[in-house]
Amino acid sequence: NGKVLGRRVPTGDERLFQKKRKPGKRDYFVTIGLDVSGSTVQNDKISLIKAAAYAKAELLSRLGIKFAVYAHTGDLSSTMTPANNVHGYALAVEIYEIKAPNEPWNTKTRDRLSKLRPASANLDGHTLEFYRKVTQQQKATDKIILYYTDGAMPLENYHEELEILQREIKLCKRDAIAIVGVGIGTDSPSRHGLDTIRMDHLEDIPKVVAELEK
């Protein structure tokens, strides 16, 4: 920076350079998180979730936008300590990787998506924590999490999951990660202040595209 050379060079001041930023191309990263808890078997919600995810993945792939696809469920099993007959719960978050961030969207990843089946419980706080960490690691100017759910957020392990969920929403806001809730037959994400799209039918898929575009 010519304006400061005269007074900073003699004193050994290293602040000699000026960097100008020109408006550049914005780049995006999208994490798609799919609910595959046991309740998605009702009314074949799992098929709607997979169809919506497929449409988003195809769109992002064709636009050259980086993205990842995961499915989430969990296990909250009742346990008993033999020594004192104390009941408790064993908590296990289960994340299925459909498409990793640097993996191409191809026949293999499409096949993983098509084979998804309803599993067990929903542990929303821990799940969002995983999605936030994956998204946070990506290099992009704009980062988005599409969070699919078909019921209450949270449901199982309520008090702990609620605490973690609220913390993760705050962390995403701090780090400028946008969270869009996609409620399958529900608007439950909106109760946490999230932008939410409700999907009841295949015809609602364009609404998710519109929200993603916004």
Side-chain angles (χ1 to χ4, degrees):
N1 185 354
K3 295 180 181 179
V4 301
L5 285 176
R7 67 174 184 272
R8 289 185 175 173
V9 169
T11 61
D13 192 328
E14 295 180 354
R15 294 174 296 165
L16 304 175
F17 301 98
Q18 176 176 288
K19 183 176 182 180
K20 293 183 179 179
R21 290 192 175 185
K22 296 181 180 179
K25 180 182 178 182
R26 294 169 70 177
D27 59 333
Y28 302 88
F29 182 84
V30 181
T31 297
I32 302 174
L34 309 175
D35 182 359
V36 291
S37 58
S39 59
T40 59
V41 72
Q42 299 171 6
N43 301 318
D44 199 24
K45 293 177 184 175
I46 187 69
S47 293
L48 179 56
I49 290 170
K50 291 195 292 184
Y54 182 88
K56 299 304 154 307
E58 286 289 319
L59 174 66
L60 294 171
S61 178
R62 293 178 186 184
L63 292 175
I65 294 174
K66 298 175 184 177
F67 68 101
V69 185
Y70 298 91
H72 57 266
T73 182
D75 184 34
L76 192 63
S77 304
S78 178
T79 62
M80 179 181 290
T81 305
N84 51 18
N85 291 332
V86 174
H87 283 277
Y89 289 94
L91 177 68
V93 180
E94 297 176 3
I95 303 290
Y96 306 134
E97 187 176 78
I98 309 303
K99 179 193 173 301
N102 296 318
E103 191 174 12
W105 178 244
N106 55 24
T107 302
K108 183 184 295 185
T109 51
R110 291 185 184 96
D111 187 54
R112 290 178 197 152
L113 178 60
S114 69
K115 289 180 178 177
L116 279 178
R117 297 291 180 269
S120 187
N122 228 342
L123 302 166
D124 294 293
H126 286 90
T127 299
L128 185 57
E129 180 180 18
F130 174 84
Y131 292 151
R132 190 259 305 167
K133 289 179 178 179
V134 168
T135 309
Q136 201 172 41
Q137 292 171 359
Q138 309 310 311
K139 293 181 179 179
T141 60
D142 296 74
K143 302 175 184 180
I144 304 160
I145 297 174
L146 286 179
Y147 193 93
Y148 283 73
T149 182
D150 80 323
M153 283 181 66
L155 184 58
E156 290 86 9
N157 194 35
Y158 180 80
H159 295 291
E160 182 180 5
E161 297 306 315
L162 179 61
E163 181 180 347
I164 297 172
L165 181 65
Q166 292 173 339
R167 180 196 72 198
E168 290 302 313
I169 291 173
K170 289 180 181 178
L171 288 173
C172 285
K173 287 182 179 179
R174 181 200 69 183
D175 296 335
I177 297 173
I179 308 174
V180 177
V182 184
I184 307 301
T186 180
D187 61 356
S188 60
S190 65
R191 297 165 198 168
H192 300 284
L194 302 180
D195 291 338
T196 301
I197 307 116
R198 175 169 175 150
M199 287 186 57
D200 294 288
H201 311 285
L202 286 171
E203 291 75 15
D204 294 328
I205 289 178
K207 292 195 295 186
V208 186
V209 175
E211 184 66 26
L212 188 59
E213 180 182 24
K214 183 180 75 175

